[in-house]
Amino acid sequence: MSVILEIRDGDPWWASPDVRVVPGDDPDGPAGPPIAGSPAYVWARVSNTGETSVSDATVRFYWANPSIGFDRTTATPIGTAFVTLAPGESEEVLCLTPWVPVFVNEGHECLLAEAFHPSLDPLPATPAFNVPTDRHVAQLNVSVVQALKRHFHLAFEVHNPSRREQRFAVIAHEGKVAELAQHLKWLAAIPNLHAAKVAGLGFLRTTCPDTDEIAAAKDPKADVSVGPMGRAGLTLAGRLGGNGAALIHVEQRTEDRVTGGLSVLVIAR
C-alpha cells in the first residue's frame, strides 16, 4: 500500500498542464498570462495514483525569473496549501496567497509546484527540483511576448546550482504553437494565434537590445560558463516574419542532457 502524489509534466516538460495562473482578484476566473504589478492566483492539479488515502499532503508554490536550471535555493516561495486525496483521486489546489508578478522582465516568470507528504511520500533529499524525473514536481515556464514592429526579445538567466563551475549549451529552436495549445487551453483566448515564422533567431548578452542588436542576433546556440552557485544572463531575440504567433523552445544542455528549458510564445502586436 502506498501514497503516490503527482503533478504532471507537459511536452516539453516545463509546460505542465497541471499548473495554471489566474490573473486578477478572482481565483475562479479564467486562466491566462500574468500581468506585472497585478495580483494573480496559482493553481496546481494534484493526483494520488497510489492505493492509500493521504490527508493534508503539502503543496508548495514557487516563482523564479525566466530562467533555466534553477533550484529550491534560487526560486522564491509564493505559499503553501494542503490537500486530502483518496486513491486515484485528483484535485485542483489553490495557493491562497496571491502572487504579484514583478515588473522585472515585464512580469514574465517561471512557476513551479510540488506535492508531497513528509512521511508517506517525501521529496528526494536534494535542493534540485529534477522536474522530468520527479513526479512530485511540475513546472510552467512559458512566457508570452509581443513583437513590436516584428522585433522581440526576452531576457532570462542560466543557473548553475553546482559547487563547481559548469559549461552549458543553450539552444533555441522553433516549435509548433499547437503543441502548447493542446494542453494550455487559455492560449485559445490570445488573438493572432495562427502560425508565423521566425527570422534571425539568436542570443545576445544585452538585456534590453535595440533593433540593430536584435537584427544582429543570428546564432541560436550559445555556450555559457557559469561559476559555482552562480548565474549568467542571456537574451533571446529575433524577428517575427508576419502577423500571427510563433513558439520557441530554449533548452539548457549539460553533456547532451536537457537539464532545463523555457518556452516563448511570440505574438504580433
Side-chain angles (χ1 to χ4, degrees), residues 147 150-152 172-175 177 195-202 214 217 220 236-242 244-249 264-267:
R150 303 286 176 88
H151 294 82
F152 67 87
H173 62 90
E174 283 192 69
V177 174
K197 281 297 199 180
V198 170
L201 186 63
I214 292 175
L236 176 73
R239 301 184 304 281
L240 193 64
L247 177 65
I248 302 163
H249 299 307
V264 182
L265 180 68
V266 183
I267 57 175

Side-chain angles (χ1 to χ4, degrees), residues 7 19 25 31 47 55 57 101 110 121 159 166 177 181 194 207 222 228:
I7 305 176
V19 180
D25 296 321
S47 301
S55 297
C110 171
D121 190 16
H159 287 224
Q166 289 204 78
V177 174
H194 57 275
T207 304

